[in-house]
Amino acid sequence: MFGVALGALGMLGTMTMGLTIDAYGPISDNAGGIAEMAGLPETVRGLTDCLDAAGNTTAAIGKGFAIGSAALVSLALFGAFTVRAHVKTVDILNPWVFTGLLFGAMMPYAFAAWTMKSVGTAANDMVKESLSQFPKIMGPEKMTPDYERCIRISTEASLREMLAPGALVILSPLVAGMGFGKNCCAGLLSGSLVSSVQLAISMSNTGGAWDNSKKYISAGGLGKEYVKGSEAHKNSVTGDTVGDPLKDTSGPALNIVMKLTAIISLVFGTAIAEYSNSEGGPFWA
């Protein structure tokens, strides 16, 4: 476990490079948005799209390092939990371990689904607000755009919509440990770690691929008949609408799922051990 912790420390030592390549994509994307709003030629937007596509690729690499370091940190914290809670072995043939394993493996999928749905809900509220403002801005009233209202919608949604996913991550190890014993909590941590790693990697790469496919089609990569306005481009926009929350919201957030469940279990490790019987099962069994 000491070696695992040192490995995690080594990967975290590359964080400066990871942050650098992660920031490359959003900077290029914002540059493209500014160029479009400023009415610059299409060639400028084409260049920024190429840079943004490269940024999506570098961001996927950077997220891979973040996911790897999160997995190693979570494994080290899991080892510390087993010491504090006096868990000798994690045997999947034990019914309580297997129960926790199943729930832990399903938890990242529920968390990712909730965060994806939250992004869609907030985006829908933003669209409604924009549709209500545009007629007044473009009409005879010449209303000044209410930017503060749009910012408030995004901020309030980001706080409100994270209550359920946050409660899931924080309460799950406590309910599993104090309700069903330390073996169940150990199984939950194992399932959550393995499931979160593969899901986070998949989401980060898939989201970037969908985003880049839209840019590839827009640039005429499939032919001049498949540029903006074609059915292929419309389908790629739909894919990008799913891909953006995948790579920017749900994927990176799974790093927190891995680490926070392990930290909560470690902090309450002594209490979880007290609420377990001599075999590691629930105190009431």
Side-chain angles (χ1 to χ4, degrees):
M1 280 301 169
F2 181 67
V4 171
L6 287 179
L9 188 62
M11 291 197 73
L12 288 172
T14 65
M15 192 54 64
T16 51
M17 181 61 71
L19 291 174
T20 302
I21 61 178
D22 270 345
Y24 181 88
I27 292 171
S28 303
D29 200 2
N30 285 359
I34 293 170
E36 193 166 346
M37 288 187 290
L40 297 180
E42 280 293 321
T43 52
V44 177
R45 180 62 180 175
L47 292 172
T48 57
D49 280 348
C50 292
L51 294 172
D52 188 26
N56 286 333
T57 306
T58 59
I61 297 170
K63 286 168 186 170
F65 279 97
I67 294 165
S69 65
L72 292 176
V73 168
S74 301
L75 186 57
L77 291 171
F78 174 71
F81 163 75
T82 58
V83 173
R84 173 166 286 191
H86 306 293
V87 178
K88 302 300 182 184
T89 57
V90 181
D91 184 7
I92 62 172
L93 295 179
N94 182 297
W96 295 114
V97 172
F98 192 71
T99 300
L101 194 69
L102 285 178
F103 185 80
M106 291 186 289
M107 187 172 66
Y109 288 89
F111 180 89
W114 279 348
T115 52
M116 291 275 293
K117 187 177 179 181
S118 299
V119 171
T121 302
N124 192 45
D125 292 341
M126 191 76 76
V127 169
K128 289 179 180 177
E129 178 63 26
S130 299
L131 290 176
S132 68
Q133 287 192 31
F134 270 124
K136 300 175 184 177
I137 296 170
M138 307 299 291
E141 300 98 326
K142 299 295 181 183
M143 185 190 82
T144 303
D146 189 358
Y147 301 113
E148 184 179 344
R149 173 64 182 156
C150 294
I151 295 171
R152 188 183 302 114
I153 289 172
S154 179
T155 306
E156 289 178 354
S158 66
L159 295 173
R160 182 183 66 251
E161 296 290 337
M162 287 302 106
L163 291 176
L168 174 70
V169 175
I170 293 172
L171 297 179
S172 290
L174 296 180
V175 172
M178 295 183 179
F180 303 99
K182 59 187 180 182
N183 284 344
C184 183
C185 185
L188 181 139
L189 293 178
S190 303
S192 173
L193 172 60
V194 174
S195 187
S196 294
V197 169
Q198 64 89 16
L199 191 60
I201 294 173
S202 173
M203 284 183 163
S204 297
N205 290 330
T206 303
W210 269 333
D211 195 352
N212 283 357
S213 68
K214 185 194 74 171
K215 291 180 172 62
Y216 181 76
I217 293 172
S218 300
L222 294 181
K224 294 182 179 179
E225 65 274 20
Y226 295 113
V227 291
K228 284 187 178 181
S230 65
E231 285 299 317
H233 182 261
K234 291 176 183 177
N235 292 335
S236 69
V237 170
T238 303
D240 186 34
T241 305
V242 180
D244 276 341
L246 271 179
K247 68 183 177 66
D248 296 328
T249 303
S250 300
L254 288 174
N255 295 342
I256 302 170
V257 173
M258 285 186 272
K259 289 185 279 192
L260 189 56
T261 50
I263 289 172
I264 293 293
S265 302
L266 176 59
V267 171
F268 293 92
T270 304
I272 290 172
E274 291 176 356
Y275 277 85
S276 306
N277 60 25
S278 58
E279 297 177 351
F283 66 94
W284 44 265

